[in-house]
Amino acid sequence: MASSPEICVFGAGSIGCYVGGRLAATGAAVRFIGRERVVAEVREHGLRLTDWRGADLKVPASDVHISTGHEALASADLVLVTVKSAATEEAGGALAAGLKPGASVISFQNGLHRADVLRGLLPGRAVLQGMVPFNVAAQGQGHFHAGTEGTLEVEQHAVLAPFLDAFTRAGLPLKQHADIVAVQWAKLLLNLNNSVNALADLPLKEELSQRAWRRCLALAQSEALAVLKHAGVKPAKLTPLPPGWIPTLLGGPDAVFRSLAKKMLAIDPKARSSMWDDLHAGRKTEVDYLNGEVVRFAHRHGLSAPVNSRLVELIHEAESGKRRTWTGDALLADLKQAELEDGP
């Protein structure tokens, strides 16, 4: 492998442009593959990468190597797959056709099984599961802003060694885990808020500051935790509190929550979930790979997950143009009714 390994971002959306952009801004050799809309925007404006702590990095348009074609795969030593979950099979087919021998892959996608899908399409390759814990919002004109904190998490593997310094220089050190599944479940528990936030139609900080919305999230998390406990799965601890304690904290009075969950509220006041972005852009969301994952896991273990099922249903309604205007109390009552109707 060359002394300066090349990284390719396959899926230059908000996450892909932010992670790849920070790598490029700090000296890594990065090429981007994306859809025409983003490619045109970045070719005109370049990249600007900011975060809630005040970081502000720029990559001039002349220095950004971005294309809608897959040519960049031929020289890549590491590919970061950041496409939406539903596009995994399409991405895997392109990777199978274009990757050079010895190239490795990290899936930085939502959901639990995206890396497994890629492994099935890329036999013999090192395909690692990764996880992006922070929220990134597109601000327009090539500007991508991380509104919450977090460290890139990835499955432990020796193939990462040549790339660790580049990620560290970019301010995105890779935290390696022997048990990435526990980390994935912990992230998914937090991501159950994506659907609640999209239905709330509020910035994340404002939503989490209101008890009724938090109680909606607490219902979804408690249901998922009960299923995980039944299945013998213990999610990792990604926050100062163990996952099992978070629903209780979420359901507490606003003053108590503000006092005990300062880090959860240490986010940009304008940050919203990616699911909110997708709904407002008229795109299909990833709800089937978040709340829907809980529903499928419950069914595999002979259980039901009525709260998460209802959230999936409501998001699909919104995708089809039947979006409702919710208050926190109204959504909470709706989710509780779903629980009641599912009871014995």
Side-chain angles (χ1 to χ4, degrees):
M1 184 179 292
S3 57
S4 297
E6 187 171 302
I7 298 171
C8 175
V9 173
F10 195 106
S14 295
I15 293 294
C17 283
Y18 181 80
V19 173
R22 289 194 66 138
L23 286 163
T26 50
V30 182
R31 294 181 180 274
F32 299 82
I33 297 171
R35 304 289 187 187
E36 181 57 43
R37 176 185 61 82
V38 177
V39 170
E41 178 183 326
V42 174
R43 282 179 173 171
E44 179 178 357
H45 299 285
L47 288 169
R48 181 185 177 197
L49 306 317
T50 59
D51 69 17
W52 65 280
R53 296 166 296 188
D56 194 342
L57 304 174
K58 296 184 176 76
V59 186
S62 59
D63 292 342
V64 182
H65 303 282
I66 187 167
S67 173
T68 57
H70 300 159
E71 297 82 6
L73 294 175
S75 57
D77 299 296
L78 176 67
V79 178
L80 312 180
V81 178
T82 53
V83 299
K84 293 290 188 181
S85 295
T88 305
E89 287 83 357
E90 178 186 350
L95 291 168
L99 276 181
K100 71 179 185 181
S104 303
V105 177
I106 302 177
S107 167
F108 279 128
Q109 300 170 271
N110 280 327
L112 297 177
H113 305 294
R114 300 302 88 197
D116 293 334
V117 172
L118 291 174
R119 287 188 193 106
L121 296 167
L122 300 167
R125 297 273 184 186
V127 179
L128 310 182
Q129 180 64 59
M131 190 266 283
V132 180
F134 46 80
N135 168 273
V136 177
Q139 305 292 302
Q141 298 187 339
H143 180 191
F144 297 90
H145 180 75
T148 57
E149 67 176 346
T151 301
L152 292 178
E153 319 276 349
V154 67
E155 190 175 352
Q156 190 175 54
H157 202 290
V159 297
L160 295 173
F163 310 99
L164 297 178
D165 286 346
F167 280 90
T168 299
R169 284 197 308 271
L172 300 170
L174 293 176
K175 185 175 181 181
Q176 298 186 58
H177 296 269
D179 183 6
I180 195 66
V181 174
V183 175
Q184 285 181 276
W185 270 115
K187 170 69 183 318
L188 191 141
L189 287 169
L190 298 175
N191 272 353
L192 296 181
N193 187 50
N194 283 20
S195 55
V196 177
N197 179 254
L199 295 171
D201 199 16
L202 294 170
L204 283 163
K205 187 167 185 175
E206 185 176 346
E207 175 223 333
L208 290 172
S209 295
Q210 298 179 31
R211 188 184 187 194
W213 293 116
R214 294 198 308 273
R215 291 179 68 193
C216 294
L217 173 57
L219 282 180
Q221 286 192 350
S222 294
E223 181 176 86
L225 285 164
V227 174
L228 291 175
K229 183 176 181 180
H230 176 87
V233 176
K234 185 177 181 180
K237 182 173 175 283
L238 297 183
T239 69
L241 288 179
W245 294 12
I246 293 178
T248 300
L249 174 62
L250 290 169
D254 289 341
V256 175
F257 180 77
R258 284 195 298 270
S259 174
L260 296 178
K262 292 179 182 178
K263 293 194 75 172
M264 289 184 73
L265 294 176
I267 56 180
D268 190 284
K270 295 181 181 179
R272 301 181 192 242
S273 70
S274 59
M275 200 172 294
W276 181 93
D277 285 337
D278 287 339
L279 281 184
H280 278 260
R283 297 187 295 260
K284 186 174 176 60
T285 73
E286 294 187 296
V287 70
D288 290 327
Y289 301 94
L290 298 174
N291 303 84
E293 192 69 63
V294 176
V295 176
R296 288 190 296 275
F297 192 72
H299 290 169
R300 285 199 295 273
H301 290 274
L303 303 174
S304 61
V307 172
N308 284 282
S309 292
R310 182 60 176 153
L311 287 168
V312 171
E313 181 181 354
L314 291 173
I315 292 296
H316 283 322
E317 284 183 5
E319 288 174 339
S320 67
K322 301 175 183 177
R323 183 164 188 166
R324 310 184 196 183
T325 300
W326 291 96
T327 65
D329 287 330
L331 182 61
L332 181 63
D334 188 279
L335 296 179
K336 285 185 172 181
Q337 183 62 31
E339 271 191 317
L340 183 64
E341 291 175 356
D342 187 72

